[in-house]
Structures are given as structure tokens and as C-alpha cells.
Amino acid sequence: MLAQQRYQLHFSHIDETLEEALKNGFQDSASNLTLWKCYLSCHWRQERFRPLKTNGSEEHLDNNPLNAAFERSINLMNQSFGEEGDPTGELTRFMAECEGLRDDVDSFRVLMSGLFESKIYKEQSNLWLEYISMELRFGNVTEVRKIYQKSIQCNTDSPQILLQRFLNFESVHGTLETYDNAALKCRRQQKKIDEKSAKDAERSVLQNKKSSDNKGKNRQYAKEDSGKSKNDQKNKHNNKPAPSKKRKLSSEPENQKDTKIVRQSTKSPEKPSFPKKPITDSTEIDKSKYPLTIFVSNLSYDATEDDLNDTFKHVAVLWT
């Protein structure tokens, strides 16, 4: 829409773009709000500057298209999202600003006063301040004073700012009498604010205390439950029957048992204890105690049995 207006296309193209966007549909309220703000701003620029030219002739528009577009935007937004669709009243504020620039004071005041009939807008201090700043353009001090008095009576999100602005306004635009009246009203309202803050603080302390007590009880209950579960486990353990001493049957296959037996049989036997003295011919030897035998080759033809015993006496006892 902005590009179409930038290139001075006929406004019907902008209308078609809006309708196409509405048909496609935006699920969230923020996108719809941005769409309508853009469309209304296009209408307002068309009304103020009239840059549109078609076929060499300039087209003049009256105020009705903008007002009709505003009414349609408000109705559709309320039907789809309610007041939460425009939480800060941007569409109404935009239209009220346009009415103020048109010097239509009555329409401006109708729009802004109707905006503050809703609680969601009444509690926003910045909306009151914007309303007051726009009202100051018309120079009606009495009307601004009424707006200040209404604003400080509401439970806004920043009441101290409104009170301070009210006093500043009376200091500049009011008399000493109006300033004293404003100061008295501000003191009374500040007292109410302080009492409300004290009650809220006391209520929050009580809520925190209740929540802490509930947490303590929950912890105590958790400890008791854990103690009961531990005792139950101990009782189950004490009452558990003693395990049977039956021999556990092996689940290994027979071939694995055979392999184990073979491995045990292949272990090297213990080293036999040999007598310290060499064995002579007269000594009777039990050859079953000496299962190991050696074969010595490449001996000299002159070697005798005594030479072999003398050579291997530290290793084993030899016999032939």
C-alpha cells in the first residue's frame, strides 16, 4: 500500500490490496493492527496532500472515506480480538489526532472520552498525558483541568506522574486558588495511593508466608514419606527368606566345559625338587616324579656321562 501511494497509483489499488490482505487473513492481532494503521495513514495522506492524479486530472476526496475506514477497522478488530486487539487504543488515538488537525474539537473529544470509558485504557497514564497534550493545542485550560481531575481519580499505572504534571499545569496556567485546590486534591489522592500500597504490601507478605508454610509442610510430608519408604524397605529386607544353598546349575554348554578341562590339563606341572647330589648308578630313581625329558645333540664324541651331569647339575638330574 505504501509503494502504491508512493508511485501515485489510484486509491482503488490500495483498496484492492487491503481486501486481498484481509482475505488471506492474519491470525494475530498485531499484524491486523499494523495493516489497518497503514491503510488509515494512506487515507489521511490522501486527504491532506491530495497527490493522486489519474489521466492528467487531480482527484479530490472528502473526509468521509477516512471516517468510514476508521469505523470499519474498529468494528473488525473488536469482532476478531476484542479490546485486547488494540491494547493501547492506537487506531482511536490516530483518528482523534486527525480530527484535532482538522480543527474538529467536538469529534476529537468524543473519540478520546469514549476511549477512556474502557477500563483497559483508563489505567494507562501515558494515554491520559497524550489526551492532555492534544487538548492543550486548543488552548482550553478549563477542559484540560477537568481531564487532569479525572485522571488522578483513576487507578493508573503511574499515578505519581499525573499528580506531578497536574501541579505543574496549575503552576503555569492556573491561579493561586486553583493551585491550592489542586495541591489539596493531590495530597488526598497520594494518601489513598499510600494506603493502597501498604495494603498490597501486607497482602503480598501474607501470601508469601502462606506459600512458605505450604512449602515447609510439603517438605515435612516428603520426609515422612521417604522415612516410611525406607522403613518398608528395611522390613522387606529383614523378612526376606535366606537364599538356598543349592548348587547353581551351570548354563554353559558341554563343549565349553570340555575346553576348560583341557586347559586345566595343559597347565605346566610344578617344578620337581631335585636332589642336591648327582645321581649315581647305585641310586634307584622313580621316573614318574620326573616327567620331563630332554634331548641333547651335537655332543662331542669324547663326552662322558659324568661330563653331562657336571654340566647340567644346576638344572636337572640326568640319567641315561
Side-chain angles (χ1 to χ4, degrees):
M1 288 188 288
L2 294 177
Q4 289 170 339
Q5 191 172 44
R6 186 177 294 112
Y7 289 100
Q8 300 185 9
L9 299 181
H10 194 275
F11 206 86
S12 60
H13 294 285
I14 300 176
D15 293 334
E16 292 175 359
T17 304
L18 173 69
E19 297 301 330
E20 188 67 23
L22 293 176
K23 287 180 182 179
N24 292 331
F26 294 98
Q27 298 299 327
D28 58 317
S29 60
S31 299
N32 283 272
L33 184 61
T34 303
L35 180 67
W36 280 111
K37 284 170 59 180
C38 180
Y39 182 68
L40 293 178
S41 64
C42 289
H43 261 300
W44 175 242
R45 281 189 293 268
Q46 182 72 15
E47 178 183 330
R48 289 188 65 189
F49 304 108
R50 312 179 193 277
L52 181 63
K53 293 181 180 181
T54 57
N55 298 326
S57 62
E58 185 175 354
E59 182 178 341
H60 296 274
L61 299 175
D62 55 11
N63 298 335
N64 291 332
L66 175 60
N67 292 37
F70 168 71
E71 293 294 336
R72 185 187 177 194
S73 66
I74 291 295
N75 293 333
L76 290 179
M77 288 294 292
N78 289 336
Q79 290 176 5
S80 301
F81 308 101
E83 293 181 350
E84 290 77 8
D86 188 5
T88 57
E90 292 187 43
L91 296 178
T92 304
R93 289 157 57 191
F94 176 83
M95 192 62 200
E97 183 79 11
C98 295
E99 295 292 358
L101 293 175
R102 289 173 176 171
D103 293 331
D104 191 350
V105 181
D106 294 335
S107 298
F108 164 77
R109 289 172 180 169
V110 168
L111 287 172
M112 293 304 295
S113 60
L115 184 67
F116 289 106
E117 290 178 358
S118 176
K119 183 180 179 180
I120 190 174
Y121 305 122
K122 189 184 296 184
E123 296 177 351
Q124 301 182 33
S125 300
N126 60 329
L127 293 183
W128 284 105
L129 294 175
E130 185 176 350
Y131 182 19
I132 290 168
S133 64
M134 288 190 290
E135 187 68 43
L136 281 173
R137 298 176 186 175
F138 306 124
N140 193 337
V141 176
T142 303
E143 189 67 25
V144 174
R145 184 176 290 112
K146 291 180 181 179
I147 298 172
Y148 267 122
Q149 291 174 356
K150 290 180 181 179
S151 65
I152 63 174
Q153 297 296 328
C154 299
N155 295 323
T156 57
D157 49 4
S158 300
Q160 287 80 6
I161 296 177
L162 290 173
L163 295 176
Q164 187 62 40
R165 292 287 185 88
F166 187 23
L167 292 176
N168 293 339
F169 168 78
E170 292 296 347
S171 297
V172 175
H173 300 279
T175 62
L176 182 59
E177 183 180 0
T178 57
Y179 178 81
D180 291 339
N181 291 333
L184 180 61
K185 292 180 180 179
C186 289
R187 283 196 296 270
R188 291 176 180 174
Q189 191 64 26
Q190 186 63 48
K191 185 178 180 181
K192 293 180 180 179
I193 294 170
D194 295 338
E195 291 176 355
K196 184 177 180 298
S197 301
K199 290 181 180 179
D200 293 339
E202 185 178 358
R203 191 181 298 109
S204 63
V205 170
L206 293 175
Q207 290 178 355
N208 293 333
K209 186 177 180 181
K210 288 182 180 179
S211 61
S212 62
D213 293 341
N214 292 333
K215 287 181 180 179
K217 290 180 180 179
N218 293 333
R219 290 175 183 173
Q220 185 177 0
Y221 293 152
K223 288 181 179 180
E224 291 177 357
D225 293 339
S226 62
K228 289 180 180 179
S229 61
K230 289 181 180 180
N231 293 331
D232 294 339
Q233 291 178 1
K234 289 182 179 180
N235 294 330
K236 288 181 180 180
H237 182 73
N238 294 331
N239 297 329
K240 187 176 180 181
S244 60
K245 295 184 179 181
K246 292 183 180 179
R247 186 176 178 180
K248 187 176 181 181
L249 296 177
S250 175
S251 60
E252 297 179 352
E254 294 181 357
N255 56 356
Q256 293 186 3
K257 294 182 181 180
D258 297 339
T259 54
K260 288 186 178 180
I261 294 172
V262 171
R263 289 176 183 174
Q264 291 177 0
S265 63
T266 56
K267 289 183 179 179
S268 59
E270 298 180 358
K271 186 177 179 181
S273 58
F274 300 106
K276 294 181 179 179
K277 293 180 181 182
I279 300 174
T280 61
D281 296 338
S282 62
T283 307
E284 294 182 0
I285 299 172
D286 186 4
K287 293 184 179 182
S288 63
K289 293 183 178 180
Y290 303 95
L292 300 178
T293 59
I294 61 173
F295 175 78
V296 183
S297 63
N298 295 330
L299 296 175
S300 175
Y301 291 104
D302 297 333
T304 63
E305 186 176 351
D306 294 333
D307 294 333
L308 292 177
N309 283 325
D310 186 58
T311 301
F312 293 99
K313 64 182 180 180
H314 298 292
V315 179
V317 176
L318 304 179
W319 65 88
T320 58

